[in-house]
Amino acid sequence: MLEERPRDILTGIEVTIPEGEVLRLQGYKKGQEPREAVARILQEQIEDGRRLAEPRATYVEAGVKEVSEGGALTLEGGTVLTMEHGARVWKGLKLLAISICTIGPALETRVAELFAQNEFAPALMLDSVGSVAVESVADQVNHILCRQATERNLRAGPRLSPGYGRWPLEDQQVLFGLLPGESIGVGLTERCMMTPRKSISFCIGLGANMARAGRSDSCRYCTLEHCQYRRTGAKVAP
């Protein structure tokens, strides 16, 4: 745990839930309009999602001691993150910003209730709403970290998470050892899955000479090239 570096907790984060993003997760192509009944369910579940979401986030910065050619990062204190892309994606990094974000358990509790009532269409729609909501929280926290970096004449690299691309999911345990999620109600299962499910952990590299990140970077460094949820225009990096 990084006792020597302060941890910050963010609350009051505004949740944005664009209809198009929810429909994309539902399998709709860009510009494809849903049927009237589906559109009605979409509006109802977006409203419920806004009501049920309790966005919170915590973050901390860690100094980077060494970056191996294979991409492993050794932090101050000797902690190692085994992400294969590290050396190239965050070339020139000096600090690593670590964050855990969540919208809380209420939304997924409601999803479970809807499934139990055989309300499958609203349940699936609300689940997609939750995914979009927590992604918006992570995007806003990422923006905050980037802005803070700019104020210190640092650049921020792309936002990346364990379990995506070539970063083993097991490194979730390392991140939670550095930044306990319990402070915002997020736990970790034995299989390194977060609870509540609508939670995101991520890191961004910070350094004076790093290339700036673009919005599609998080998909760009995922190896699931034909994933139906891939953001438009995001190509897999070599």
Side-chain angles (χ1 to χ4, degrees):
M1 193 180 301
L2 298 175
E3 298 292 348
E4 75 281 5
R5 292 180 183 271
R7 296 184 295 274
D8 288 309
I9 295 178
L10 301 173
T11 58
I13 303 169
E14 183 180 357
V15 173
T16 58
I17 308 174
E19 293 181 10
E21 277 296 290
V22 178
L23 290 174
R24 184 177 66 85
L25 295 185
Q26 289 280 302
Y28 285 77
K29 297 186 185 328
K30 186 176 181 180
Q32 182 181 359
E33 294 293 331
R35 293 181 290 108
E36 183 178 346
V38 175
R40 184 173 60 253
I41 292 173
L42 172 64
Q43 290 299 324
E44 291 172 350
Q45 299 314 314
I46 286 179
E47 290 178 11
D48 270 0
R50 291 195 181 106
R51 176 177 58 83
L52 294 167
E54 298 177 344
R56 287 179 291 177
T58 182
Y59 66 92
V60 70
E61 286 183 3
V64 177
K65 183 178 179 181
E66 182 181 1
V67 183
S68 73
E69 291 185 3
L73 309 182
T74 302
L75 307 180
E76 292 176 352
T79 300
V80 177
L81 292 168
T82 56
M83 64 167 302
E84 188 176 326
H85 268 87
R88 181 169 58 82
V89 176
W90 293 327
K91 187 175 182 180
L93 85 163
K94 299 299 180 183
L95 294 168
L96 191 69
I98 305 164
S99 180
I100 300 172
C101 311
T102 188
I103 59 168
L107 184 144
E108 66 185 70
T109 297
R110 179 56 181 158
V111 169
E113 291 173 353
L114 289 170
F115 274 122
Q117 296 164 7
N118 295 326
E119 297 284 348
F120 300 118
L124 291 169
M125 188 69 76
L126 184 58
D127 187 71
S128 293
V129 165
S131 296
V132 173
V134 71
E135 184 70 24
S136 81
V137 174
D139 280 344
Q140 289 180 68
V141 174
N142 183 51
H143 178 73
I144 290 170
L145 297 178
C146 290
R147 187 181 67 236
Q148 291 179 350
T150 299
E151 291 170 353
R152 293 180 288 162
N153 295 318
L154 298 174
R155 291 182 175 180
R159 166 165 68 91
L160 301 175
S161 299
Y164 290 88
R166 300 186 179 106
W167 192 356
L169 181 62
E170 289 73 19
D171 265 4
Q172 288 276 45
Q173 295 176 335
V174 180
L175 294 190
F176 273 69
L178 297 168
L179 181 62
E182 289 84 354
S183 61
I184 57 169
V186 180
L188 199 63
T189 70
E190 292 182 357
R191 297 189 175 184
C192 299
M193 302 300 293
M194 286 178 286
T195 58
R197 289 188 304 106
K198 300 307 181 184
S199 303
I200 291 175
S201 64
F202 70 87
C203 296
I204 57 175
L206 305 175
N209 300 310
M210 294 184 60
R212 296 189 186 278
R215 178 171 172 80
S216 65
D217 279 293
S218 57
C219 278
R220 182 173 180 242
Y221 293 101
C222 176
T223 52
L224 299 176
E225 184 171 5
H226 301 294
C227 174
Q228 65 175 317
Y229 306 119
R230 179 174 293 281
R231 289 175 173 172
T232 303
K235 299 184 187 251
V236 175

